[in-house]
Amino acid sequence: QSAVETDPTYAYVYEALGFAYNDLGRNQETVEARKEFVRLGGNGRTGHFNLLVTLHELGSESELHEAAARALPIFERHVRLTPDDYNARVQLANILGFCGRSADSVAEADKLSAVESLDGFACYNLACLYLNANLPERGMTLLRRAVQKGFRSMETIRRDPDLDLLRGTPEFEELMKELESSSTKD
């Protein structure tokens, strides 16, 4: 906040503030900081996507749809120009879902899930997409693949509301035990 007072026009201060608020669980303040980052930072994909994720977590559907509609052309252009950026394509697929275009979102996710070279982070985001589309089997498959590809953020897996559909299932609990076991060996 001191940095904001020092230079309220410096966009990246708001992104840092957004991460700090997010870590403190202050979601509405996270949204406001991320909105300001997007406003000051132009068309940066990361800022837009972080804002969308926060709005999604808050369940703010109308704000989410509006913000997703603003972000969509930025991601579509990037993916058109760099089709091998699989993480951006996964983000675009999620944005389609945030815009209410679930069928398009799942169709793009199906194409992407066939790409063997996806990293763990991309697989994790696809798992979340499938779970938001109420496709738990596909979500669990991609979550397991994410872990196999190196996604090991136990805290994210424990608290991400996108995974609520899997919590309590034998497959999810087994995966959590495997992760906990491997983290104690490291």
Side-chain angles (χ1 to χ4, degrees):
Q1 289 173 332
S2 176
V4 168
E5 291 169 13
T6 301
D7 186 357
T9 63
Y10 184 58
Y12 292 96
V13 168
Y14 292 95
E15 183 67 341
L17 188 58
F19 279 112
Y21 282 142
N22 189 58
D23 287 346
L24 294 170
R26 295 165 60 176
N27 293 334
Q28 193 55 51
E29 289 150 308
T30 303
V31 167
E32 296 310 315
R34 289 186 168 162
K35 281 181 181 178
E36 190 63 10
F37 175 66
V38 167
R39 187 183 75 75
L40 293 171
N43 291 333
R45 292 185 337 273
T46 301
H48 280 278
F49 197 73
N50 288 341
L51 173 60
L52 294 172
V53 168
T54 305
L55 289 169
H56 170 68
E57 288 176 357
L58 278 175
S60 182
E61 290 302 313
S62 63
E63 271 191 284
L64 176 62
H65 286 299
E66 289 173 24
R70 284 190 303 273
L72 187 61
I74 297 163
F75 281 82
E76 287 175 327
R77 179 178 188 276
H78 178 78
V79 166
R80 188 176 59 253
L81 295 173
T82 54
D84 292 340
D85 185 345
Y86 293 119
N87 282 300
R89 287 181 56 192
V90 169
Q91 289 174 330
L92 175 59
N94 274 284
I95 292 168
L96 290 168
F98 294 154
C99 285
R101 295 172 51 187
S102 186
D104 293 335
S105 175
V106 170
E108 185 62 24
D110 288 343
K111 287 183 220 170
L112 288 163
S113 64
V115 175
E116 287 300 317
S117 63
L118 290 182
D119 64 22
F121 189 70
C123 291
Y124 181 83
N125 284 326
L126 282 176
C128 292
L129 181 152
Y130 281 129
L131 293 167
N132 285 315
N134 200 27
L135 297 166
E137 297 83 16
R138 292 185 202 174
M140 187 65 218
T141 297
L142 266 293
L143 180 60
R144 185 168 290 286
R145 186 169 156 198
V147 169
Q148 290 168 346
K149 295 257 187 173
F151 188 88
R152 304 261 180 206
S153 177
M154 290 287 291
E155 189 59 31
T156 300
I157 295 171
R158 278 193 185 106
R159 67 180 191 98
D160 190 337
D162 287 345
L163 302 182
D164 286 350
L165 192 57
L166 295 178
R167 294 190 207 297
T169 65
E171 296 87 1
F172 183 80
E173 298 307 320
E174 178 185 320
L175 181 63
M176 290 304 292
K177 286 179 186 171
E178 289 173 22
L179 281 170
E180 289 169 2
S181 174
S182 71
S183 72
T184 58
K185 292 176 186 174
D186 294 338

